[in-house]
Amino acid sequence: MDFPVLRHFYSQMTEGKGGFPVLKKILKRILIAIPVLFGVVLAIFIMLRIVPGDPVQTMLGEHMDMALIEKLRAEMGLDQPMIVQFFKYIGNAMRGDFGTSYRLNRDVAQIIAEAFPHTVKLSLLAAAVAWVIGLVAGVIAAIRQNRLLDRLFMGCALLGVSMPVFMTALVLQYVFAFKLNWFPVSGFDSVNSMVLPAIVLGWNSAGSIARMTRSNLVEIMQNDFIRTARAKGLRETGVIVGHALKNAMLPVVTMMALQISSMLSGAVLTESVFGVPGIGRLAVNAIETRDMPLLQGTVIFTTILIIIGNLVADLLYNVLDPRIREGA
């Protein structure tokens, strides 16, 4: 079987001076990401242990016998020096063992694995909302530059970028769930219940995409090759889609790739407001109950997602732009 798309992708990845320049760059990025991840783990580990309060006492209650508290602290290894706890945690984490949740008494990796599909579903729906609305609004605004539709779409985009996520969620809940009763107020177990969370999480990204698409497209439309295409008698639609939009999409596509990782790792407020049982809600519950293993696990997991998102963005840049690939 012949796969021309995959063959083209492979050739773009491996061509250039010295062989495999893009793969070398990806390996370099991964090596740089290792100390970043180590620093994040160290920071969250120290912060959770210098914050006032005892997680064991929080679990058992204020009036529990101190002897029992000290015994449980010893069983959890919390009586050991912080440096010993840290490197023990690092060693276990490298084997995929992120500890046991204090509150749920379950393996943290298993809890995250169960919650992650809900976050993925929400993020993909939000990305679809952001990409469709953002690209369409940006293209129309560029075509209708300085006209009513341009001002309307860019005003909505600015509102989406500047309005806090929790405020957007509360407004949409009040209007469409409470007043109009079109959608459930919370939950994530039906198609209707997914609509509002996806719009809330995707609206901010849609505004960013619309603004970048418009600015890039307006700039590209001023170039000489666009005037040449028009002089050849091409229809305006063909000029925009076949020439201008293709050249304007590079930074937009990169932003879209980064937005996926940010949605996967930053859906905390949306999941909390709408009661979505995802990674963000796990992190909030872990903070409220001082569940250190669960919070550490969610932070490390989301950090890895952000690193992967940046790697994907770099890969897209190198594949789509030959100038960057040549200098890799």
Side-chain angles (χ1 to χ4, degrees):
M1 296 180 65
D2 187 23
F3 297 94
V5 175
L6 293 179
R7 190 171 62 250
H8 172 72
F9 180 80
Y10 177 78
S11 66
Q12 300 297 336
M13 288 282 291
T14 57
E15 67 181 14
K17 298 178 180 179
F20 302 96
V22 178
L23 296 179
K24 290 178 181 178
K25 187 173 182 179
I26 291 174
L27 180 59
K28 181 180 178 181
R29 291 285 188 179
I30 293 174
L31 293 176
I32 293 174
I34 292 174
V36 173
L37 184 59
F38 184 85
V40 169
V41 176
L42 178 61
I44 189 65
F45 195 90
I46 294 175
M47 288 172 60
L48 287 176
R49 280 153 181 80
I50 63 176
V51 172
D54 188 343
V56 177
Q57 195 166 4
T58 303
M59 288 169 46
L60 300 179
E62 297 180 1
H63 305 292
M64 187 60 63
D65 182 61
M66 288 302 299
L68 180 59
I69 292 177
E70 292 300 326
K71 180 181 178 182
L72 190 56
R73 282 177 56 83
E75 292 177 357
M76 292 179 173
L78 297 178
D79 60 336
Q80 298 176 350
M82 188 182 299
I83 188 69
V84 175
Q85 295 183 46
F86 176 71
F87 281 104
K88 183 178 179 181
Y89 180 80
I90 288 292
N92 292 333
M94 292 178 66
R95 298 194 300 269
D97 180 9
F98 295 98
T100 302
S101 169
Y102 293 164
R103 180 173 59 93
L104 302 176
N105 196 28
R106 294 176 55 203
D107 183 66
V108 168
Q110 183 180 359
I111 298 172
I112 293 176
E114 292 174 359
F116 186 53
H118 298 288
T119 300
V120 171
K121 187 186 299 183
L122 173 60
S123 299
L124 292 179
L125 290 172
V129 170
W131 295 349
V132 172
I133 295 177
L135 289 175
V136 171
V139 171
I140 294 176
I143 295 173
R144 299 293 181 180
Q145 185 181 1
N146 298 325
R147 298 181 185 178
L148 178 60
L149 281 179
D150 180 22
R151 293 186 175 91
L152 177 62
F153 285 156
M154 288 302 100
C156 292
L158 180 61
L159 184 64
V161 171
S162 58
M163 192 170 180
V165 173
F166 73 89
M167 182 60 69
T168 305
L170 294 177
V171 170
L172 293 185
Q173 277 183 329
Y174 179 76
V175 175
F176 294 102
F178 181 70
K179 284 294 186 180
L180 300 178
N181 199 27
W182 289 357
F183 305 103
V185 176
S186 62
F188 203 66
D189 52 359
S190 64
V191 175
N192 278 350
S193 64
M194 299 177 187
V195 174
L196 288 183
I199 293 174
V200 169
L201 186 58
W203 191 21
N204 181 277
S205 298
S208 301
I209 292 174
R211 289 166 63 84
M212 179 171 285
T213 302
R214 179 195 179 278
S215 62
N216 289 344
L217 197 55
V218 167
E219 182 180 352
I220 292 294
M221 294 288 284
Q222 309 302 320
N223 289 345
D224 291 338
F225 72 90
I226 297 296
R227 287 190 284 270
T228 302
R230 285 173 175 159
K232 289 180 178 179
L234 292 179
R235 297 176 59 183
E236 190 66 16
T237 304
V239 172
I240 294 172
V241 175
H243 294 79
L245 189 59
K246 182 174 67 174
N247 287 276
M249 283 300 293
L250 175 61
V252 178
V253 169
T254 307
M255 173 185 283
M256 290 160 67
L258 290 173
Q259 284 178 346
I260 283 288
S261 64
S262 65
M263 287 177 182
L264 288 170
S265 59
V268 176
L269 292 175
T270 305
E271 291 181 357
S272 299
V273 172
F274 289 97
V276 179
I279 300 294
R281 192 177 178 190
L282 275 183
V284 172
N285 292 338
I287 293 172
E288 292 174 347
T289 59
R290 284 189 57 83
D291 193 340
M292 294 190 297
L294 183 57
L295 182 57
Q296 289 169 178
T298 55
V299 170
I300 294 171
F301 188 74
T302 53
T303 303
I304 292 173
L305 292 178
I306 293 173
I307 291 172
I308 292 174
N310 280 276
L311 285 173
V312 171
D314 284 343
L315 182 61
L316 287 174
Y317 254 122
N318 282 276
V319 171
L320 296 176
D321 194 336
R323 295 168 300 178
I324 297 176
R325 187 168 60 250
E326 289 170 2

